[in-house]
C-alpha cells in the first residue's frame, strides 16, 4: 500500500514559492478554477472486476446537498466510528 502526494498545488504556493519553482510563467491545468486554481482531490480505484456504476452510486450518496453544505457540519450525523 502506498499513499503519497502527486505533486504541488501551484495555487497553494506563495508568490515567492511560485517564482522559485516556475519563474514568472507557472503552469495552469486545463481545468483551472478561478477561485481554487489547481486544487483538486482525486480518488483512484485499481482492481479487478470492479463495478464502476455501483462505486459511482455509493460515492454520489456520500455527497452533501446544498442544505448540508450550508449547515454547521458538527451537527451532522457522522456514519463513521469514533477514532481513538
Amino acid at each position: 500500500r502506498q499513499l503519497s502526494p502527486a505533486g504541488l498545488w501551484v495555487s497553494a504556493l506563495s508568490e515567492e514559492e511560485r517564482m522559485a519553482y516556475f519563474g514568472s510563467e507557472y503552469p495552469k491545468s486545463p481545468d483551472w478554477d478561478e477561485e481554487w486554481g489547481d486544487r483538486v482531490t482525486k480518488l483512484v480505484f485499481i482492481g479487478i472486476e470492479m463495478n464502476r456504476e455501483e462505486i459511482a452510486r455509493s460515492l454520489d450518496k456520500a455527497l452533501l446537498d446544498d442544505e448540508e453544505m450550508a449547515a454547521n457540519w458538527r451537527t451532522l450525523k457522522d456514519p463513521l466510528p469514533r477514532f481513538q
Side-chain angles (χ1 to χ4, degrees):
R1 294 180 189 175
Q2 182 177 352
L3 180 63
S4 61
L8 298 170
W9 282 329
V10 174
S11 57
L13 300 173
S14 69
E15 190 65 33
E16 184 177 283
E17 290 169 318
R18 282 187 205 141
M19 292 298 286
Y21 278 106
F22 306 109
S24 60
E25 291 295 318
Y26 60 88
K28 285 190 174 183
S29 67
D31 50 340
W32 185 271
D33 182 86
E34 286 306 313
E35 182 176 358
W36 302 107
D38 60 339
R39 294 180 182 108
V40 297
T41 301
K42 294 183 180 182
L43 181 61
V44 178
F45 294 91
I46 300 173
I48 298 171
E49 297 183 17
M50 298 174 73
N51 184 328
R52 182 182 179 135
E53 290 76 24
E54 181 58 32
I55 292 170
R57 267 192 301 278
S58 296
L59 291 171
D60 285 344
K61 287 188 337 189
L63 294 174
L64 299 180
D65 60 28
D66 291 339
E67 184 178 327
E68 292 167 324
M69 284 294 292
N72 176 348
W73 291 2
R74 293 174 193 250
T75 64
L76 299 177
K77 182 179 181 259
D78 187 351
L80 299 174
R82 290 187 59 88
F83 294 102
Q84 306 257 345

